[in-house]
Amino acid sequence: MMIGLALVAVFLAFAALMYLGKLPALIALPLMAAALFIAGGIFHYGVRPVYPGSHAVVLAKDFFGVVIAEGTVRLANVMVTIILGAVLAELLKASGVSKAMIRWASELGGDSPVAVCFLLTGATAVLFTTLGGLGAVIMVATLVMPIMLSAGVGAEAAGCLFLLGLSLGGTFNPANWAVYIGVLGLTQAEVFRFAAVFGAVFAAVASLFLIVNLRRGVSSFWAMTGPVEEPPRLNPLALLTPVVPILLLVPFNVYNLLEKPPNPYYFPINAALFAGIVFGVVTTFRTDGGNVQRLTRCAIEGVSASAPAIALLVGIGMILNAVTHPAVGGFMEPILKRAMPQTLPGYVAVFSLLAPLALYRGPLNIYGMGAGLAGVMLATGTLPPAAIMGALLSVGMIQGVSDPTNTHNAWLAGYLGKDVMVFTRKTLPYMWGLAAAGLLVAGAMFL
C-alpha cells in the first residue's frame, strides 16, 4: 500500500508541474514514465525476484525495452493518422475548398443573422472534421468572423460560435478517434457509437447558445464593407473532400452496430484519410499545372504541422507502457480501484464535479497528463475502456472550447480585440452542462 501511495505521489507531482506550467507535457510525460517505472521497478524486482539474473539488469532491460523502445512506437499508427489528417487539411487550404464552403454557407444564409450563424457554425464544424491546428483556425476564422460581424452579431458571440463549431467538428475528426482507439485499445464502433450521440447533444447545446445569445446580441443587419473576395472556381465535387473520410467510415460502423455481424469490418481510418487526399487532388486538379508541386508542399507542411502532436504521442506511449507494467500497475491498482467510481451515479457525479480539471492542461486533458491518468485507470480495470473514453471526451470539450490557454482561443481573442476570458465565461456553463450530459450518455452505454 505504501509503495502504491508513493507512486501516486510521483504521478501527482508531475501532474502539478504540468498544471502550473513548470514543465511542458511533451517533456513531463517521458520523465513521468521513467520516474514511475524506476521507482516501482526497484520494489517490484527487489520484492519479487521472479526473473533470473541481477535485478538491476532486468530493471534496465525492461525500462529500455518496454518503456522506451516499445513505448515510443506504441502509438505509431495514431502518428500516421495525424500526419495524413494534416496533409488533407493543408490540401483543403491550398485548393480553396475551405474558402468556397464558407462563402457558400454565408450566401445560403441570406440576410438572416440567425441563419447565417447556423450555417457558418455548421460549415466550421464540417471543416474541422478534417482540419486541425492553429493555421487552419486562423484561415477559417478570418473568413467566418467578418461575415458574422457584418450580419450584426456581437464579437463575443461570434467568437464563441466559432469555438463551438471547431470542437463540434473535432468530435467526428478521425484523427481524434485514432487517439482514443490507440490509447485505450477501443474499436471504431465503440468510439463512433458514443461520438454519434454525443455529437447530436453537442449540436443541440451549440444551437441553444446561438439562439440565446443572438436573441439579445444582434444589431441591425448591414452589408459587408470593403472588397468581397470571390470564391475560387472549383469542381462542385471538391466541396465533398472534407467529409470523404467520414463517408467511408460511418456506413461500416452503422452496419456493424445495427447488424452485429460475427466478423465486423471497419474501414481503416488511415485508408479513409488517404482516400480523402486522393479525392481532393483529383477534384481540384488544375489544367494549368502545378499539381505535383502543390501536393508536395501540402505533404511537407502537413508533416511539419504534425510534429508537436507526434512528440506528445511519444511520451503518451511511454506512459501507457509504464503504468500498465506490473512494476507500476501492480502497486497502484489496489489504491485506484478504491478511488474509481463503479456505478452510474458515481461515474456521472465524480467526473462532472471534476470536469473543470480539463482546463489549463489539467489532469483530465487527454493531450497531456490525462493520457497518463487514462493509462492508470485502464491498468486498474475498474472502468471499461469505453467508459474512460466517454469521460475524457465529454469533459475534454470544456478544454476545447473554454480553455483560455488554448492557442486558438488566445489568437481569436486578439483578432476580435477581446479579453480571452470572455470566451471562458460565456461558454463554460454550456460546456459544463454538455460534459454532464455526455457522462450520462457514456455511463448508460458502457457501464
Side-chain angles (χ1 to χ4, degrees):
M1 180 67 72
M2 293 302 298
I3 299 171
L5 289 173
L7 292 175
V8 171
V10 171
F11 178 88
L12 293 177
F14 278 96
L17 289 173
M18 284 187 278
Y19 188 81
L20 296 173
K22 302 298 183 182
L23 273 180
L26 60 87
I27 295 176
L29 289 175
L31 290 178
M32 181 195 291
L36 286 172
F37 189 84
I38 292 172
I42 290 173
F43 293 101
H44 176 77
Y45 293 115
V47 175
R48 305 172 185 174
V50 293
Y51 298 105
S54 166
H55 297 158
V57 171
V58 177
L59 173 61
K61 178 183 175 182
D62 275 11
F63 174 70
F64 289 110
V66 177
V67 177
I68 295 183
E70 295 178 12
T72 53
V73 297
R74 173 165 177 164
L75 301 177
N77 190 59
V78 182
M79 297 175 192
V80 174
T81 301
I82 289 176
I83 291 173
L84 290 173
V87 173
L88 179 55
E90 293 295 332
L91 181 62
L92 291 177
K93 291 190 288 183
S95 64
V97 169
S98 301
K99 292 182 179 180
M101 288 189 67
I102 297 299
R103 181 61 60 186
W104 173 80
S106 67
E107 292 175 352
L108 193 62
D111 291 348
S112 168
V114 173
V116 167
C117 288
F118 263 116
L119 288 168
L120 287 178
T121 303
T124 300
V126 170
L127 286 170
F128 280 95
T129 60
T130 302
L131 294 176
L134 182 60
V137 169
I138 293 173
M139 177 198 67
V140 177
T142 52
L143 296 171
V144 169
M145 289 297 98
I147 298 171
M148 285 192 180
L149 295 175
S150 72
V153 180
E156 295 176 6
C160 291
L161 287 172
F162 177 81
L163 293 173
L164 289 167
L166 187 158
S167 288
L168 175 57
T171 304
F172 297 97
N173 192 312
N176 292 338
W177 288 7
V179 173
Y180 290 101
I181 292 170
V183 170
L184 297 170
L186 298 169
T187 64
Q188 273 191 44
E190 289 172 308
V191 179
F192 169 75
R193 180 185 171 198
F194 177 71
V197 180
F198 181 73
V201 178
F202 195 158
V205 171
S207 299
L208 176 63
F209 179 92
L210 189 155
I211 293 169
V212 170
N213 284 271
L214 264 63
R215 179 177 297 171
R216 62 191 182 200
V218 178
S219 58
S220 59
F221 180 87
W222 66 88
M224 291 183 66
T225 57
V228 178
E229 184 179 353
E230 289 295 323
R233 289 178 172 270
L234 288 173
N235 181 339
L237 289 176
L239 297 178
L240 294 175
T241 303
V243 296
V244 164
I246 298 295
L247 294 176
L248 291 173
L249 295 171
V250 168
F252 292 99
N253 283 286
V254 171
Y255 175 79
N256 292 330
L257 286 173
L258 294 178
E259 299 296 329
K260 296 181 174 59
N263 297 305
Y265 174 77
Y266 302 103
F267 199 93
I269 289 178
N270 288 347
L273 289 169
F274 187 82
I277 294 171
V278 173
F279 184 88
V281 169
V282 171
T283 56
T284 61
F285 186 84
R286 296 174 182 171
T287 56
D288 57 353
N291 296 285
V292 174
Q293 292 83 352
R294 176 165 57 104
L295 180 59
T296 302
R297 185 174 65 254
C298 290
I300 294 172
E301 292 177 356
V303 172
S304 177
S306 305
I310 291 174
L312 194 60
L313 287 170
V314 169
I316 291 174
M318 292 174 65
I319 278 284
L320 292 174
N321 273 25
V323 298
T324 55
H325 192 280
V328 178
F331 292 119
M332 297 180 71
E333 181 179 348
I335 298 172
L336 293 171
K337 274 190 173 181
R338 297 180 181 181
M340 289 293 105
Q342 301 183 43
T343 64
L344 176 57
Y347 173 83
V348 175
V350 169
F351 284 107
S352 294
L353 182 64
L354 299 178
L357 292 179
L359 293 170
Y360 299 100
R361 311 299 174 183
L364 291 181
N365 175 10
I366 187 66
Y367 291 98
M369 67 187 80
L373 182 61
V376 171
M377 289 191 290
L378 187 66
T380 67
T382 305
L383 289 175
I388 299 173
M389 174 270 298
L392 293 175
L393 201 158
S394 296
V395 303
M397 292 306 157
I398 292 181
Q399 185 270 326
V401 174
S402 305
D403 193 340
T405 66
N406 287 334
T407 53
H408 52 264
N409 287 53
W411 176 87
L412 190 60
Y415 177 78
L416 294 172
K418 297 292 180 181
D419 181 0
V420 69
M421 288 302 297
V422 166
F423 301 142
T424 302
R425 288 192 291 269
K426 288 183 75 73
T427 60
L428 185 56
Y430 292 87
M431 291 299 98
W432 206 338
L434 173 65
L439 289 164
L440 187 60
V441 171
M445 283 184 173
F446 304 123
L447 288 182

